[in-house]
Amino acid sequence: MPSSSPDLLTLVTENVRAVRARIDGAARGAGRDPSDVRLLVATKTQPPEAVRAVVAAGVELVGENRVQELVAKAPAIADLVAAGDVAVHMIGNLQRNKVNQVLATASAVQSVDSLAIAEALSSRCVRDTLTIDVMVQVNVSGEASKSGVEPDDAPGLAREVAALPGVRLTGFMTIGARSRDDDEVRAGFARLREVRDVVVRAGDPRTRDARELSMGMSGDLELAVAEGATIVRVGTAVLGSRPAP
Ligand SMILES: *Cc1c(COP(=O)(O)O)cnc(C)c1O
């Protein structure tokens, strides 16, 4: 596999450093340990060279939105995944008939928003004696365009998902409100934290470690970190505007 071009690597390395500085600053400002917040780079519509540059820049977590793209890029990054240099998370809508393809490359699915999809993951994992990490995606903004369960329904779905064999519930994911009002965006992130706290505090052994909060993107990561994000998902701030799909 050819290494990424020096220019791409230089640019990506600088951008990763800048994003990491934003995360660290927001964490310190909130009295949090910056090492408690991981950076996931969203590589949708980016070529495999960009993914390799992201990993060469020290990022250990990347996310793909579409199964087709995940499958297309998988061979180009298989060596990095096998070496443990990077883990791939599915962060987009997933259909039941695509579950097999996702399990071949991804170590986690952050976008579980129905029991049906969790059951499909579970039965494949049981068959292949695998375990997949999953998060329940919650729609905290109420925007119709966004996937995810309603916040009120999230604890119930989380309990049902966590009870399935072959899947391990690690936490919750959301996409923040598309709004210029920071208070509104931040309230959504706080809502996800409340959902997580309700579930973890219930004390069920299967859900009490579901502490991850995957929230915050290029435009709102500081607000998410202030509300407790443990994973922020950043695309454009690292890789620039996306090539047309
Ligand atoms: C694209 C994407 C991101 C990153 O968005 P940017 O605004 O480019 O940082 C994060 N999460 C999901 C689910 C995405 O689809």
Side-chain angles (χ1 to χ4, degrees):
M1 190 60 52
S3 56
S4 46
S5 79
D7 288 352
L8 176 63
L9 182 55
T10 303
L11 181 68
V12 167
T13 303
E14 278 170 13
N15 289 347
V16 165
R17 199 171 292 144
V19 167
R20 194 62 241 185
R22 287 175 59 191
I23 295 169
D24 294 358
R28 285 196 206 92
R32 300 183 58 204
D33 183 343
S35 68
D36 288 341
V37 189
R38 288 191 287 162
L39 168 62
L40 175 152
V41 173
T43 50
K44 62 172 175 275
T45 76
Q46 299 286 349
E49 305 82 71
V51 186
R52 295 189 73 85
V54 163
V55 179
V59 171
E60 296 173 345
L61 208 48
V62 300
E64 286 288 344
N65 285 67
R66 290 166 60 237
V67 176
Q68 212 182 330
E69 247 193 278
L70 176 76
V71 169
K73 284 180 221 174
I77 59 167
D79 58 327
L80 302 174
V81 173
D85 292 341
V86 67
V88 183
H89 286 192
M90 181 70 195
I91 59 174
N93 238 338
L94 178 57
Q95 285 161 348
R96 272 182 285 179
N97 60 352
K98 302 274 174 65
V99 153
N100 274 347
Q101 290 157 282
V102 169
L103 290 173
T105 304
S107 65
V109 177
Q110 296 196 2
S111 43
V112 168
D113 63 358
S114 71
L115 186 60
I117 195 71
E119 284 173 340
L121 286 163
S122 170
S123 61
R124 290 300 176 174
C125 285
V126 167
R127 190 194 66 182
D128 298 343
T129 57
L130 298 169
T131 304
I132 184 95
D133 287 350
V134 299
M135 298 184 199
V136 166
Q137 182 173 353
V138 184
N139 183 351
V140 295
S141 68
E143 290 164 23
S145 61
K146 294 207 163 88
S147 307
V149 286
E150 299 278 310
D152 287 346
D153 296 334
L157 177 60
R159 274 190 292 276
E160 290 178 312
V161 170
L164 297 171
V167 300
R168 191 173 74 101
L169 182 76
T170 61
F172 299 85
M173 183 269 245
T174 197
I175 298 172
R178 184 194 286 272
S179 165
R180 290 181 183 281
D181 179 356
D182 283 0
D183 291 342
E184 184 188 344
V185 177
R186 189 166 169 158
F189 294 144
R191 188 77 184 88
L192 193 71
R193 176 169 42 74
E194 287 159 14
V195 165
R196 191 268 319 264
D197 290 346
V198 162
V199 171
V200 169
R201 282 197 198 120
D204 183 324
R206 287 173 302 212
T207 54
R208 75 179 164 212
D209 295 327
R211 301 208 56 84
E212 297 272 23
L213 290 175
S214 176
M215 56 190 195
M217 318 203 306
S218 294
D220 57 15
L221 69 87
E222 284 88 352
L223 301 173
V225 170
E227 290 298 340
T230 63
I231 297 176
V232 295
R233 307 180 311 272
V234 176
T236 48
V238 169
L239 291 165
S241 57
R242 286 181 268 280

